[in-house]
Amino acid sequence: MHWPQVLEYPTGYDLPSTAEEILGGFQVLETPTFNDTWAKFERLHASGKARAIGVSNFSIKTLEQLFKTGKIVPAVNQVEMHPYFADTELLEYCRSKGIVVTAYSPTGLAKVRSDPTLVALAKKYNVAPAQIILAWHLARGVVTVPKSSNAGRQKENLTLATLREEDLAAVTALDRNERCEVWTKFGPDGKMLGWTREQYGW
Ligand SMILES: NC(=O)c1ccc[n+]([C@@H]2O[C@H](COP(=O)([O-])OP(=O)(O)OC[C@H]3O[C@@H](n4cnc5c(N)ncnc54)[C@H](OP(=O)(O)O)[C@@H]3O)[C@@H](O)[C@H]2O)c1
């Protein structure tokens, strides 16, 4: 389940991509709720058509709401996570429930990859900053889905150094609770993709 809210997609659109579409172009529906959708997922799971079912962009708040009616614990919660947004509380919560966290935008966009601490660590280990970040995720037990259209960088992202404890701590210390993705910017009405921060539990 990509998001906790239900969006009616305009004909011809797949995913919202521009700020206008993200902030205004989509109608949020009251029903079905994500609890209703999860019940349908559970039926798919029971039928054997899905071996595992999971969620994305769920917070502790929305996961708690899901557990009110859900019988199956999501196999995975895919969320934005990188050194500027380490979200350790959500990671620990998911771990306590047996939910695997997958980091999207795992390398945190160019803004994070060019952080001086990460650039210095990359020099120290003779790798790219993205490799330092991915090694940090793995050390935290987080699954990553890095994306690269470049064969050389795809290879880089598969060959990771093992970071020393103090270097892992230095990456964690970069956390500043900053979501970097475009769809995490809220509009003047306090909404992003039709929901407020409070509804998301952010
Ligand atoms: N569930 C959700 O709501 C959600 C939201 C966002 C994203 N996602 C998924 O998460 C996946 C990854 O997300 P993402 O593409 O935003 O994050 P990402 O992998 O952290 O960033 C991709 C960007 O990083 C660059 N890059 C990759 N490896 C690099 C390296 N070693 N050195 C320097 N630059 C590097 C890529 O450029 P090049 O291509 O030029 O190498 C690309 O511009 C995608 O599959 C996406 O669909 C899911």
Side-chain angles (χ1 to χ4, degrees), residues 2 56-57 78 105 107 113 145 147-149 153 156-157:
H2 197 171
S56 181
N57 295 302
Q78 184 177 129
S105 305
T107 71
R113 292 193 295 269
V145 283
K147 170 255 153 197
S148 178
S149 52
R153 288 194 282 279
E156 273 178 12
N157 293 347

Side-chain angles (χ1 to χ4, degrees), residues 1 12-13 16 26-28 37 46 58-59 71 88 92-93 106 113 119 133 148 152 155 165 171 175 177 190:
M1 208 190 313
Y13 280 90
F26 286 74
Q27 181 77 26
V28 178
T37 305
F58 271 60
S59 63
K71 294 171 198 72
T88 305
E92 282 171 3
Y93 175 86
R113 292 193 295 269
V119 171
I133 299 172
S148 178
K155 270 193 196 132
E165 277 304 320
V171 180
D175 184 22
N177 200 30

Side-chain angles (χ1 to χ4, degrees), residues 1-3 15 55-57 78-82 102-110 113 128-131 133-134 137 144-158 181 183:
M1 208 190 313
H2 197 171
W3 287 91
L15 274 176
V55 296
S56 181
N57 295 302
Q78 184 177 129
V79 291
E80 177 175 350
M81 195 174 274
H82 46 71
T102 299
Y104 72 67
S105 305
T107 71
L109 313 178
R113 292 193 295 269
Q131 289 169 291
I133 299 172
L134 295 174
H137 279 298
T144 62
V145 283
K147 170 255 153 197
S148 178
S149 52
N150 173 283
R153 288 194 282 279
Q154 287 174 6
K155 270 193 196 132
E156 273 178 12
N157 293 347
L158 290 171
E181 279 293 359
W183 42 81

Side-chain angles (χ1 to χ4, degrees), residues 133-144 160:
I133 299 172
L134 295 174
W136 169 78
H137 279 298
L138 289 193
R140 293 197 338 141
V142 171
V143 174
T144 62
L160 304 178

Side-chain angles (χ1 to χ4, degrees), residues 12-52:
Y13 280 90
D14 178 13
L15 274 176
S17 54
T18 66
E20 291 72 37
E21 284 171 13
I22 288 164
L23 292 175
F26 286 74
Q27 181 77 26
V28 178
L29 306 179
E30 292 295 317
T31 55
T33 65
F34 59 72
N35 297 79
D36 300 331
T37 305
W38 193 248
K40 289 195 173 167
F41 272 37
E42 289 178 329
R43 287 209 285 281
L44 277 177
H45 187 265
S47 75
K49 285 184 180 157
R51 281 197 300 182

